[in-house]
Amino acid sequence: MSDMRLVLLSCCAPCSAGAIKQLADGAVPGISDFIVLFYNPNIFPESEYTKRMQEQIKYCETLGVKYAVLEYDHDAWRDAVRGFEAAPERGARCSLCFEYRFRRAEKFARENGYNAIASVLGVSRHKDQHQVDRAATSACPDFEYLPIRWDENLRVQINRYSDFYRQNYCGCEFSIRKV
């Protein structure tokens, strides 16, 4: 596909900063338009969700990048992962979570004239990019998924000089580390 209109599924500003900058700079060939999609009903508590959402919006607005924020329905997300609450990080619960979010991203993409999806869900040290890619192709088998490998050095550089709010867990209540 040479004229891709891309939805970038994002979890937070620290993870997405490099990818958004690459896309904004036109550094990803074949992408004619993109939007950052913040869809994270997994994040708990809601105050944490709000902090991450506000930080994502601030970064997008700083770069002049389009973004959309979808509904926060943590109860529906909990239903989607029910029975896997005790699964370890990078386990079955994470796959279900990714699939749930990719299905909603695909729906958004179709409704808004986008024809491809990519994500930064595997950027975090808490996640596995291959697991994210498998979840995307499983959840959206008839939709263009781009398993883009983002420039890690750019992300690190942006984060080094930013004042991003940073969290110490992936997002859901099951990933909060006991300290």
Side-chain angles (χ1 to χ4, degrees), residues 137-174:
T137 55
S138 174
C140 309
D142 301 320
F143 203 77
E144 185 77 25
Y145 171 69
L146 302 176
I148 299 172
R149 299 300 178 246
W150 305 105
D151 183 338
E152 179 66 12
N153 291 329
L154 177 61
R155 184 186 72 78
V156 169
Q157 181 182 12
I158 293 169
N159 274 278
R160 184 175 297 131
Y161 297 106
S162 77
D163 63 350
F164 290 143
Y165 163 74
R166 288 175 177 77
Q167 57 283 344
N168 63 3
Y169 65 102
C170 181
C172 75
E173 57 263 45
F174 312 115

PDB file of all heavy atoms in Angstrom, residues 137-174:
ATOM      1  N   THR A 137      -2.482  -9.025  14.452  1.00  0.00           N
ATOM      2  CA  THR A 137      -2.887  -9.806  13.282  1.00  0.00           C
ATOM      3  C   THR A 137      -4.029 -10.761  13.614  1.00  0.00           C
ATOM      4  O   THR A 137      -4.860 -11.045  12.759  1.00  0.00           O
ATOM      5  CB  THR A 137      -1.693 -10.562  12.662  1.00  0.00           C
ATOM      6  OG1 THR A 137      -1.071 -11.369  13.659  1.00  0.00           O
ATOM      7  CG2 THR A 137      -0.672  -9.588  12.097  1.00  0.00           C
ATOM      8  N   SER A 138      -4.105 -11.201  14.852  1.00  0.00           N
ATOM      9  CA  SER A 138      -5.221 -12.042  15.281  1.00  0.00           C
ATOM     10  C   SER A 138      -6.513 -11.237  15.390  1.00  0.00           C
ATOM     11  O   SER A 138      -7.573 -11.683  14.949  1.00  0.00           O
ATOM     12  CB  SER A 138      -4.893 -12.675  16.637  1.00  0.00           C
ATOM     13  OG  SER A 138      -6.003 -13.369  17.143  1.00  0.00           O
ATOM     14  N   ALA A 139      -6.437 -10.043  15.957  1.00  0.00           N
ATOM     15  CA  ALA A 139      -7.627  -9.220  16.182  1.00  0.00           C
ATOM     16  C   ALA A 139      -8.121  -8.543  14.913  1.00  0.00           C
ATOM     17  O   ALA A 139      -9.312  -8.256  14.787  1.00  0.00           O
ATOM     18  CB  ALA A 139      -7.336  -8.158  17.242  1.00  0.00           C
ATOM     19  N   CYS A 140      -7.234  -8.274  13.978  1.00  0.00           N
ATOM     20  CA  CYS A 140      -7.581  -7.521  12.757  1.00  0.00           C
ATOM     21  C   CYS A 140      -7.091  -8.261  11.515  1.00  0.00           C
ATOM     22  O   CYS A 140      -6.290  -7.722  10.737  1.00  0.00           O
ATOM     23  CB  CYS A 140      -6.948  -6.141  12.807  1.00  0.00           C
ATOM     24  SG  CYS A 140      -7.237  -5.208  14.309  1.00  0.00           S
ATOM     25  N   PRO A 141      -7.565  -9.492  11.284  1.00  0.00           N
ATOM     26  CA  PRO A 141      -7.007 -10.291  10.187  1.00  0.00           C
ATOM     27  C   PRO A 141      -7.268  -9.715   8.797  1.00  0.00           C
ATOM     28  O   PRO A 141      -6.515 -10.005   7.863  1.00  0.00           O
ATOM     29  CB  PRO A 141      -7.691 -11.648  10.347  1.00  0.00           C
ATOM     30  CG  PRO A 141      -8.973 -11.344  11.048  1.00  0.00           C
ATOM     31  CD  PRO A 141      -8.646 -10.191  11.969  1.00  0.00           C
ATOM     32  N   ASP A 142      -8.290  -8.898   8.640  1.00  0.00           N
ATOM     33  CA  ASP A 142      -8.633  -8.346   7.330  1.00  0.00           C
ATOM     34  C   ASP A 142      -8.289  -6.869   7.211  1.00  0.00           C
ATOM     35  O   ASP A 142      -8.857  -6.162   6.376  1.00  0.00           O
ATOM     36  CB  ASP A 142     -10.130  -8.549   7.054  1.00  0.00           C
ATOM     37  CG  ASP A 142     -10.522 -10.019   7.079  1.00  0.00           C
ATOM     38  OD1 ASP A 142      -9.739 -10.840   6.575  1.00  0.00           O
ATOM     39  OD2 ASP A 142     -11.589 -10.336   7.631  1.00  0.00           O
ATOM     40  N   PHE A 143      -7.368  -6.411   8.051  1.00  0.00           N
ATOM     41  CA  PHE A 143      -7.006  -4.997   8.054  1.00  0.00           C
ATOM     42  C   PHE A 143      -5.492  -4.884   7.987  1.00  0.00           C
ATOM     43  O   PHE A 143      -4.778  -5.761   8.477  1.00  0.00           O
ATOM     44  CB  PHE A 143      -7.540  -4.318   9.324  1.00  0.00           C
ATOM     45  CG  PHE A 143      -7.713  -2.836   9.196  1.00  0.00           C
ATOM     46  CD1 PHE A 143      -8.795  -2.305   8.515  1.00  0.00           C
ATOM     47  CD2 PHE A 143      -6.795  -1.975   9.742  1.00  0.00           C
ATOM     48  CE1 PHE A 143      -8.956  -0.935   8.380  1.00  0.00           C
ATOM     49  CE2 PHE A 143      -6.939  -0.604   9.623  1.00  0.00           C
ATOM     50  CZ  PHE A 143      -8.031  -0.085   8.933  1.00  0.00           C
ATOM     51  N   GLU A 144      -4.997  -3.824   7.394  1.00  0.00           N
ATOM     52  CA  GLU A 144      -3.554  -3.615   7.248  1.00  0.00           C
ATOM     53  C   GLU A 144      -2.931  -3.252   8.590  1.00  0.00           C
ATOM     54  O   GLU A 144      -3.223  -2.195   9.156  1.00  0.00           O
ATOM     55  CB  GLU A 144      -3.303  -2.490   6.242  1.00  0.00           C
ATOM     56  CG  GLU A 144      -1.854  -2.263   5.921  1.00  0.00           C
ATOM     57  CD  GLU A 144      -1.272  -3.297   4.969  1.00  0.00           C
ATOM     58  OE1 GLU A 144      -2.037  -3.895   4.203  1.00  0.00           O
ATOM     59  OE2 GLU A 144      -0.050  -3.491   5.009  1.00  0.00           O
ATOM     60  N   TYR A 145      -2.087  -4.132   9.107  1.00  0.00           N
ATOM     61  CA  TYR A 145      -1.327  -3.864  10.324  1.00  0.00           C
ATOM     62  C   TYR A 145       0.130  -3.715   9.944  1.00  0.00           C
ATOM     63  O   TYR A 145       0.687  -4.556   9.234  1.00  0.00           O
ATOM     64  CB  TYR A 145      -1.485  -4.984  11.347  1.00  0.00           C
ATOM     65  CG  TYR A 145      -0.537  -4.837  12.518  1.00  0.00           C
ATOM     66  CD1 TYR A 145      -0.698  -3.815  13.434  1.00  0.00           C
ATOM     67  CD2 TYR A 145       0.541  -5.701  12.684  1.00  0.00           C
ATOM     68  CE1 TYR A 145       0.186  -3.642  14.497  1.00  0.00           C
ATOM     69  CE2 TYR A 145       1.424  -5.547  13.750  1.00  0.00           C
ATOM     70  CZ  TYR A 145       1.245  -4.519  14.640  1.00  0.00           C
ATOM     71  OH  TYR A 145       2.120  -4.357  15.688  1.00  0.00           O
ATOM     72  N   LEU A 146       0.760  -2.640  10.400  1.00  0.00           N
ATOM     73  CA  LEU A 146       2.164  -2.389  10.098  1.00  0.00           C
ATOM     74  C   LEU A 146       3.007  -2.619  11.341  1.00  0.00           C
ATOM     75  O   LEU A 146       2.963  -1.815  12.275  1.00  0.00           O
ATOM     76  CB  LEU A 146       2.361  -0.946   9.626  1.00  0.00           C
ATOM     77  CG  LEU A 146       1.560  -0.531   8.400  1.00  0.00           C
ATOM     78  CD1 LEU A 146       1.776   0.934   8.098  1.00  0.00           C
ATOM     79  CD2 LEU A 146       1.934  -1.381   7.212  1.00  0.00           C
ATOM     80  N   PRO A 147       3.771  -3.694  11.378  1.00  0.00           N
ATOM     81  CA  PRO A 147       4.638  -3.953  12.537  1.00  0.00           C
ATOM     82  C   PRO A 147       5.920  -3.130  12.444  1.00  0.00           C
ATOM     83  O   PRO A 147       7.011  -3.650  12.268  1.00  0.00           O
ATOM     84  CB  PRO A 147       4.904  -5.450  12.437  1.00  0.00           C
ATOM     85  CG  PRO A 147       4.830  -5.740  10.976  1.00  0.00           C
ATOM     86  CD  PRO A 147       3.806  -4.778  10.407  1.00  0.00           C
ATOM     87  N   ILE A 148       5.773  -1.836  12.543  1.00  0.00           N
ATOM     88  CA  ILE A 148       6.898  -0.907  12.394  1.00  0.00           C
ATOM     89  C   ILE A 148       7.836  -1.033  13.597  1.00  0.00           C
ATOM     90  O   ILE A 148       7.399  -1.087  14.738  1.00  0.00           O
ATOM     91  CB  ILE A 148       6.386   0.543  12.268  1.00  0.00           C
ATOM     92  CG1 ILE A 148       5.500   0.680  11.024  1.00  0.00           C
ATOM     93  CG2 ILE A 148       7.558   1.528  12.216  1.00  0.00           C
ATOM     94  CD1 ILE A 148       4.787   2.018  10.930  1.00  0.00           C
ATOM     95  N   ARG A 149       9.124  -1.060  13.311  1.00  0.00           N
ATOM     96  CA  ARG A 149      10.122  -1.036  14.373  1.00  0.00           C
ATOM     97  C   ARG A 149      10.582   0.418  14.508  1.00  0.00           C
ATOM     98  O   ARG A 149      11.271   0.942  13.644  1.00  0.00           O
ATOM     99  CB  ARG A 149      11.305  -1.948  14.046  1.00  0.00           C
ATOM    100  CG  ARG A 149      10.920  -3.405  13.885  1.00  0.00           C
ATOM    101  CD  ARG A 149      10.297  -3.976  15.148  1.00  0.00           C
ATOM    102  NE  ARG A 149       9.892  -5.356  14.956  1.00  0.00           N
ATOM    103  CZ  ARG A 149       8.640  -5.784  14.974  1.00  0.00           C
ATOM    104  NH1 ARG A 149       7.652  -4.933  15.181  1.00  0.00           N
ATOM    105  NH2 ARG A 149       8.352  -7.047  14.816  1.00  0.00           N
ATOM    106  N   TRP A 150      10.154   1.057  15.569  1.00  0.00           N
ATOM    107  CA  TRP A 150      10.414   2.472  15.769  1.00  0.00           C
ATOM    108  C   TRP A 150      11.861   2.714  16.164  1.00  0.00           C
ATOM    109  O   TRP A 150      12.513   1.844  16.721  1.00  0.00           O
ATOM    110  CB  TRP A 150       9.448   3.023  16.821  1.00  0.00           C
ATOM    111  CG  TRP A 150       8.027   2.749  16.468  1.00  0.00           C
ATOM    112  CD1 TRP A 150       7.205   1.816  17.041  1.00  0.00           C
ATOM    113  CD2 TRP A 150       7.265   3.363  15.445  1.00  0.00           C
ATOM    114  NE1 TRP A 150       5.976   1.833  16.438  1.00  0.00           N
ATOM    115  CE2 TRP A 150       5.979   2.777  15.438  1.00  0.00           C
ATOM    116  CE3 TRP A 150       7.521   4.368  14.515  1.00  0.00           C
ATOM    117  CZ2 TRP A 150       4.972   3.151  14.564  1.00  0.00           C
ATOM    118  CZ3 TRP A 150       6.516   4.748  13.637  1.00  0.00           C
ATOM    119  CH2 TRP A 150       5.258   4.139  13.669  1.00  0.00           C
ATOM    120  N   ASP A 151      12.344   3.907  15.906  1.00  0.00           N
ATOM    121  CA  ASP A 151      13.716   4.293  16.216  1.00  0.00           C
ATOM    122  C   ASP A 151      13.868   4.463  17.729  1.00  0.00           C
ATOM    123  O   ASP A 151      13.452   5.466  18.304  1.00  0.00           O
ATOM    124  CB  ASP A 151      14.043   5.604  15.490  1.00  0.00           C
ATOM    125  CG  ASP A 151      15.476   6.058  15.698  1.00  0.00           C
ATOM    126  OD1 ASP A 151      16.123   5.646  16.687  1.00  0.00           O
ATOM    127  OD2 ASP A 151      15.944   6.855  14.873  1.00  0.00           O
ATOM    128  N   GLU A 152      14.456   3.478  18.360  1.00  0.00           N
ATOM    129  CA  GLU A 152      14.608   3.472  19.817  1.00  0.00           C
ATOM    130  C   GLU A 152      15.506   4.611  20.287  1.00  0.00           C
ATOM    131  O   GLU A 152      15.257   5.218  21.332  1.00  0.00           O
ATOM    132  CB  GLU A 152      15.153   2.123  20.287  1.00  0.00           C
ATOM    133  CG  GLU A 152      15.361   2.018  21.778  1.00  0.00           C
ATOM    134  CD  GLU A 152      14.082   2.084  22.603  1.00  0.00           C
ATOM    135  OE1 GLU A 152      12.977   1.988  22.048  1.00  0.00           O
ATOM    136  OE2 GLU A 152      14.196   2.258  23.832  1.00  0.00           O
ATOM    137  N   ASN A 153      16.556   4.906  19.542  1.00  0.00           N
ATOM    138  CA  ASN A 153      17.462   5.990  19.935  1.00  0.00           C
ATOM    139  C   ASN A 153      16.743   7.336  19.960  1.00  0.00           C
ATOM    140  O   ASN A 153      16.982   8.154  20.849  1.00  0.00           O
ATOM    141  CB  ASN A 153      18.681   6.050  19.007  1.00  0.00           C
ATOM    142  CG  ASN A 153      19.582   4.853  19.193  1.00  0.00           C
ATOM    143  OD1 ASN A 153      19.682   4.304  20.284  1.00  0.00           O
ATOM    144  ND2 ASN A 153      20.229   4.433  18.123  1.00  0.00           N
ATOM    145  N   LEU A 154      15.872   7.569  18.983  1.00  0.00           N
ATOM    146  CA  LEU A 154      15.107   8.815  18.947  1.00  0.00           C
ATOM    147  C   LEU A 154      14.185   8.900  20.161  1.00  0.00           C
ATOM    148  O   LEU A 154      14.098   9.939  20.816  1.00  0.00           O
ATOM    149  CB  LEU A 154      14.305   8.910  17.643  1.00  0.00           C
ATOM    150  CG  LEU A 154      13.405  10.140  17.501  1.00  0.00           C
ATOM    151  CD1 LEU A 154      14.222  11.422  17.550  1.00  0.00           C
ATOM    152  CD2 LEU A 154      12.603  10.038  16.204  1.00  0.00           C
ATOM    153  N   ARG A 155      13.503   7.803  20.471  1.00  0.00           N
ATOM    154  CA  ARG A 155      12.610   7.781  21.634  1.00  0.00           C
ATOM    155  C   ARG A 155      13.384   8.100  22.910  1.00  0.00           C
ATOM    156  O   ARG A 155      12.959   8.918  23.727  1.00  0.00           O
ATOM    157  CB  ARG A 155      11.904   6.427  21.757  1.00  0.00           C
ATOM    158  CG  ARG A 155      10.879   6.388  22.901  1.00  0.00           C
ATOM    159  CD  ARG A 155      10.306   4.999  23.078  1.00  0.00           C
ATOM    160  NE  ARG A 155      11.264   4.081  23.662  1.00  0.00           N
ATOM    161  CZ  ARG A 155      11.583   4.026  24.942  1.00  0.00           C
ATOM    162  NH1 ARG A 155      11.031   4.838  25.814  1.00  0.00           N
ATOM    163  NH2 ARG A 155      12.460   3.146  25.390  1.00  0.00           N
ATOM    164  N   VAL A 156      14.516   7.465  23.088  1.00  0.00           N
ATOM    165  CA  VAL A 156      15.339   7.686  24.281  1.00  0.00           C
ATOM    166  C   VAL A 156      15.795   9.142  24.351  1.00  0.00           C
ATOM    167  O   VAL A 156      15.743   9.774  25.412  1.00  0.00           O
ATOM    168  CB  VAL A 156      16.532   6.712  24.310  1.00  0.00           C
ATOM    169  CG1 VAL A 156      17.536   7.098  25.390  1.00  0.00           C
ATOM    170  CG2 VAL A 156      16.034   5.281  24.522  1.00  0.00           C
ATOM    171  N   GLN A 157      16.219   9.683  23.229  1.00  0.00           N
ATOM    172  CA  GLN A 157      16.685  11.070  23.190  1.00  0.00           C
ATOM    173  C   GLN A 157      15.556  12.034  23.560  1.00  0.00           C
ATOM    174  O   GLN A 157      15.749  12.942  24.380  1.00  0.00           O
ATOM    175  CB  GLN A 157      17.222  11.402  21.801  1.00  0.00           C
ATOM    176  CG  GLN A 157      17.738  12.817  21.678  1.00  0.00           C
ATOM    177  CD  GLN A 157      18.215  13.116  20.262  1.00  0.00           C
ATOM    178  OE1 GLN A 157      17.974  12.380  19.325  1.00  0.00           O
ATOM    179  NE2 GLN A 157      18.898  14.234  20.129  1.00  0.00           N
ATOM    180  N   ILE A 158      14.381  11.847  22.991  1.00  0.00           N
ATOM    181  CA  ILE A 158      13.241  12.712  23.314  1.00  0.00           C
ATOM    182  C   ILE A 158      12.904  12.602  24.795  1.00  0.00           C
ATOM    183  O   ILE A 158      12.679  13.610  25.469  1.00  0.00           O
ATOM    184  CB  ILE A 158      12.017  12.374  22.444  1.00  0.00           C
ATOM    185  CG1 ILE A 158      12.293  12.734  20.978  1.00  0.00           C
ATOM    186  CG2 ILE A 158      10.774  13.101  22.954  1.00  0.00           C
ATOM    187  CD1 ILE A 158      11.257  12.192  20.005  1.00  0.00           C
ATOM    188  N   ASN A 159      12.876  11.402  25.304  1.00  0.00           N
ATOM    189  CA  ASN A 159      12.547  11.195  26.712  1.00  0.00           C
ATOM    190  C   ASN A 159      13.588  11.815  27.641  1.00  0.00           C
ATOM    191  O   ASN A 159      13.240  12.344  28.700  1.00  0.00           O
ATOM    192  CB  ASN A 159      12.386   9.703  27.013  1.00  0.00           C
ATOM    193  CG  ASN A 159      10.993   9.217  26.725  1.00  0.00           C
ATOM    194  OD1 ASN A 159      10.101   9.384  27.544  1.00  0.00           O
ATOM    195  ND2 ASN A 159      10.773   8.653  25.543  1.00  0.00           N
ATOM    196  N   ARG A 160      14.837  11.777  27.252  1.00  0.00           N
ATOM    197  CA  ARG A 160      15.903  12.327  28.082  1.00  0.00           C
ATOM    198  C   ARG A 160      15.700  13.828  28.316  1.00  0.00           C
ATOM    199  O   ARG A 160      15.979  14.337  29.391  1.00  0.00           O
ATOM    200  CB  ARG A 160      17.254  12.081  27.423  1.00  0.00           C
ATOM    201  CG  ARG A 160      18.436  12.541  28.281  1.00  0.00           C
ATOM    202  CD  ARG A 160      19.786  12.189  27.664  1.00  0.00           C
ATOM    203  NE  ARG A 160      19.925  10.741  27.578  1.00  0.00           N
ATOM    204  CZ  ARG A 160      20.306  10.090  26.468  1.00  0.00           C
ATOM    205  NH1 ARG A 160      20.589  10.736  25.375  1.00  0.00           N
ATOM    206  NH2 ARG A 160      20.410   8.777  26.473  1.00  0.00           N
ATOM    207  N   TYR A 161      15.195  14.516  27.306  1.00  0.00           N
ATOM    208  CA  TYR A 161      15.060  15.968  27.395  1.00  0.00           C
ATOM    209  C   TYR A 161      13.634  16.434  27.651  1.00  0.00           C
ATOM    210  O   TYR A 161      13.384  17.632  27.701  1.00  0.00           O
ATOM    211  CB  TYR A 161      15.618  16.616  26.124  1.00  0.00           C
ATOM    212  CG  TYR A 161      17.087  16.333  25.977  1.00  0.00           C
ATOM    213  CD1 TYR A 161      17.543  15.415  25.045  1.00  0.00           C
ATOM    214  CD2 TYR A 161      18.016  16.940  26.817  1.00  0.00           C
ATOM    215  CE1 TYR A 161      18.897  15.124  24.933  1.00  0.00           C
ATOM    216  CE2 TYR A 161      19.372  16.650  26.720  1.00  0.00           C
ATOM    217  CZ  TYR A 161      19.803  15.742  25.771  1.00  0.00           C
ATOM    218  OH  TYR A 161      21.138  15.453  25.674  1.00  0.00           O
ATOM    219  N   SER A 162      12.723  15.511  27.860  1.00  0.00           N
ATOM    220  CA  SER A 162      11.325  15.892  28.091  1.00  0.00           C
ATOM    221  C   SER A 162      11.027  15.951  29.592  1.00  0.00           C
ATOM    222  O   SER A 162      11.802  15.475  30.413  1.00  0.00           O
ATOM    223  CB  SER A 162      10.385  14.873  27.442  1.00  0.00           C
ATOM    224  OG  SER A 162      10.325  13.702  28.244  1.00  0.00           O
ATOM    225  N   ASP A 163       9.884  16.501  29.884  1.00  0.00           N
ATOM    226  CA  ASP A 163       9.405  16.480  31.268  1.00  0.00           C
ATOM    227  C   ASP A 163       8.147  15.616  31.349  1.00  0.00           C
ATOM    228  O   ASP A 163       7.244  15.891  32.113  1.00  0.00           O
ATOM    229  CB  ASP A 163       9.140  17.899  31.776  1.00  0.00           C
ATOM    230  CG  ASP A 163       8.041  18.605  30.998  1.00  0.00           C
ATOM    231  OD1 ASP A 163       7.604  18.091  29.942  1.00  0.00           O
ATOM    232  OD2 ASP A 163       7.605  19.677  31.453  1.00  0.00           O
ATOM    233  N   PHE A 164       8.096  14.562  30.538  1.00  0.00           N
ATOM    234  CA  PHE A 164       6.940  13.669  30.522  1.00  0.00           C
ATOM    235  C   PHE A 164       6.651  13.104  31.908  1.00  0.00           C
ATOM    236  O   PHE A 164       7.576  12.754  32.656  1.00  0.00           O
ATOM    237  CB  PHE A 164       7.173  12.459  29.604  1.00  0.00           C
ATOM    238  CG  PHE A 164       7.196  12.754  28.138  1.00  0.00           C
ATOM    239  CD1 PHE A 164       8.077  12.085  27.311  1.00  0.00           C
ATOM    240  CD2 PHE A 164       6.339  13.681  27.565  1.00  0.00           C
ATOM    241  CE1 PHE A 164       8.109  12.317  25.958  1.00  0.00           C
ATOM    242  CE2 PHE A 164       6.361  13.930  26.207  1.00  0.00           C
ATOM    243  CZ  PHE A 164       7.249  13.248  25.403  1.00  0.00           C
ATOM    244  N   TYR A 165       5.364  12.968  32.187  1.00  0.00           N
ATOM    245  CA  TYR A 165       4.960  12.175  33.343  1.00  0.00           C
ATOM    246  C   TYR A 165       5.317  10.727  33.014  1.00  0.00           C
ATOM    247  O   TYR A 165       4.999  10.231  31.935  1.00  0.00           O
ATOM    248  CB  TYR A 165       3.451  12.321  33.600  1.00  0.00           C
ATOM    249  CG  TYR A 165       2.926  11.232  34.496  1.00  0.00           C
ATOM    250  CD1 TYR A 165       3.216  11.249  35.860  1.00  0.00           C
ATOM    251  CD2 TYR A 165       2.199  10.163  33.986  1.00  0.00           C
ATOM    252  CE1 TYR A 165       2.774  10.234  36.693  1.00  0.00           C
ATOM    253  CE2 TYR A 165       1.749   9.143  34.808  1.00  0.00           C
ATOM    254  CZ  TYR A 165       2.049   9.184  36.154  1.00  0.00           C
ATOM    255  OH  TYR A 165       1.619   8.167  36.969  1.00  0.00           O
ATOM    256  N   ARG A 166       5.981  10.056  33.930  1.00  0.00           N
ATOM    257  CA  ARG A 166       6.359   8.666  33.728  1.00  0.00           C
ATOM    258  C   ARG A 166       5.762   7.793  34.820  1.00  0.00           C
ATOM    259  O   ARG A 166       5.737   8.174  35.980  1.00  0.00           O
ATOM    260  CB  ARG A 166       7.881   8.529  33.725  1.00  0.00           C
ATOM    261  CG  ARG A 166       8.495   9.104  32.474  1.00  0.00           C
ATOM    262  CD  ARG A 166      10.015   9.070  32.544  1.00  0.00           C
ATOM    263  NE  ARG A 166      10.607   9.552  31.326  1.00  0.00           N
ATOM    264  CZ  ARG A 166      10.701  10.830  30.983  1.00  0.00           C
ATOM    265  NH1 ARG A 166      10.208  11.763  31.774  1.00  0.00           N
ATOM    266  NH2 ARG A 166      11.258  11.196  29.848  1.00  0.00           N
ATOM    267  N   GLN A 167       5.354   6.633  34.424  1.00  0.00           N
ATOM    268  CA  GLN A 167       4.758   5.679  35.338  1.00  0.00           C
ATOM    269  C   GLN A 167       5.717   4.508  35.534  1.00  0.00           C
ATOM    270  O   GLN A 167       6.613   4.313  34.728  1.00  0.00           O
ATOM    271  CB  GLN A 167       3.415   5.186  34.794  1.00  0.00           C
ATOM    272  CG  GLN A 167       3.478   4.554  33.425  1.00  0.00           C
ATOM    273  CD  GLN A 167       3.592   5.550  32.263  1.00  0.00           C
ATOM    274  OE1 GLN A 167       3.347   6.729  32.416  1.00  0.00           O
ATOM    275  NE2 GLN A 167       3.976   5.060  31.106  1.00  0.00           N
ATOM    276  N   ASN A 168       5.498   3.725  36.568  1.00  0.00           N
ATOM    277  CA  ASN A 168       6.396   2.602  36.827  1.00  0.00           C
ATOM    278  C   ASN A 168       5.720   1.245  36.644  1.00  0.00           C
ATOM    279  O   ASN A 168       6.223   0.241  37.128  1.00  0.00           O
ATOM    280  CB  ASN A 168       7.020   2.710  38.228  1.00  0.00           C
ATOM    281  CG  ASN A 168       5.968   2.645  39.321  1.00  0.00           C
ATOM    282  OD1 ASN A 168       4.784   2.469  39.058  1.00  0.00           O
ATOM    283  ND2 ASN A 168       6.410   2.788  40.554  1.00  0.00           N
ATOM    284  N   TYR A 169       4.598   1.240  35.947  1.00  0.00           N
ATOM    285  CA  TYR A 169       3.933  -0.017  35.610  1.00  0.00           C
ATOM    286  C   TYR A 169       3.210   0.163  34.291  1.00  0.00           C
ATOM    287  O   TYR A 169       2.963   1.274  33.843  1.00  0.00           O
ATOM    288  CB  TYR A 169       2.989  -0.477  36.727  1.00  0.00           C
ATOM    289  CG  TYR A 169       1.792   0.429  36.973  1.00  0.00           C
ATOM    290  CD1 TYR A 169       0.537   0.087  36.501  1.00  0.00           C
ATOM    291  CD2 TYR A 169       1.928   1.625  37.680  1.00  0.00           C
ATOM    292  CE1 TYR A 169      -0.561   0.913  36.723  1.00  0.00           C
ATOM    293  CE2 TYR A 169       0.848   2.450  37.919  1.00  0.00           C
ATOM    294  CZ  TYR A 169      -0.397   2.086  37.434  1.00  0.00           C
ATOM    295  OH  TYR A 169      -1.469   2.896  37.656  1.00  0.00           O
ATOM    296  N   CYS A 170       2.871  -0.953  33.666  1.00  0.00           N
ATOM    297  CA  CYS A 170       2.301  -0.909  32.325  1.00  0.00           C
ATOM    298  C   CYS A 170       0.974  -0.168  32.298  1.00  0.00           C
ATOM    299  O   CYS A 170       0.776   0.685  31.439  1.00  0.00           O
ATOM    300  CB  CYS A 170       2.135  -2.325  31.785  1.00  0.00           C
ATOM    301  SG  CYS A 170       1.466  -2.335  30.124  1.00  0.00           S
ATOM    302  N   GLY A 171       0.072  -0.483  33.201  1.00  0.00           N
ATOM    303  CA  GLY A 171      -1.195   0.239  33.167  1.00  0.00           C
ATOM    304  C   GLY A 171      -2.319  -0.378  33.977  1.00  0.00           C
ATOM    305  O   GLY A 171      -2.987   0.316  34.715  1.00  0.00           O
ATOM    306  N   CYS A 172      -2.526  -1.675  33.820  1.00  0.00           N
ATOM    307  CA  CYS A 172      -3.668  -2.272  34.518  1.00  0.00           C
ATOM    308  C   CYS A 172      -3.318  -2.557  35.975  1.00  0.00           C
ATOM    309  O   CYS A 172      -2.155  -2.592  36.365  1.00  0.00           O
ATOM    310  CB  CYS A 172      -4.142  -3.531  33.812  1.00  0.00           C
ATOM    311  SG  CYS A 172      -3.108  -5.003  34.043  1.00  0.00           S
ATOM    312  N   GLU A 173      -4.345  -2.758  36.753  1.00  0.00           N
ATOM    313  CA  GLU A 173      -4.129  -3.011  38.177  1.00  0.00           C
ATOM    314  C   GLU A 173      -3.352  -4.298  38.428  1.00  0.00           C
ATOM    315  O   GLU A 173      -2.715  -4.451  39.463  1.00  0.00           O
ATOM    316  CB  GLU A 173      -5.444  -3.039  38.954  1.00  0.00           C
ATOM    317  CG  GLU A 173      -6.444  -4.049  38.464  1.00  0.00           C
ATOM    318  CD  GLU A 173      -7.479  -3.457  37.521  1.00  0.00           C
ATOM    319  OE1 GLU A 173      -7.083  -2.701  36.623  1.00  0.00           O
ATOM    320  OE2 GLU A 173      -8.657  -3.768  37.663  1.00  0.00           O
ATOM    321  N   PHE A 174      -3.353  -5.201  37.454  1.00  0.00           N
ATOM    322  CA  PHE A 174      -2.642  -6.471  37.629  1.00  0.00           C
ATOM    323  C   PHE A 174      -1.155  -6.322  37.353  1.00  0.00           C
ATOM    324  O   PHE A 174      -0.374  -7.224  37.648  1.00  0.00           O
ATOM    325  CB  PHE A 174      -3.255  -7.532  36.732  1.00  0.00           C
ATOM    326  CG  PHE A 174      -4.759  -7.585  36.839  1.00  0.00           C
ATOM    327  CD1 PHE A 174      -5.550  -7.263  35.761  1.00  0.00           C
ATOM    328  CD2 PHE A 174      -5.366  -7.895  38.044  1.00  0.00           C
ATOM    329  CE1 PHE A 174      -6.936  -7.273  35.868  1.00  0.00           C
ATOM    330  CE2 PHE A 174      -6.757  -7.904  38.173  1.00  0.00           C
ATOM    331  CZ  PHE A 174      -7.535  -7.591  37.081  1.00  0.00           C
TER     332      PHE A 174
END
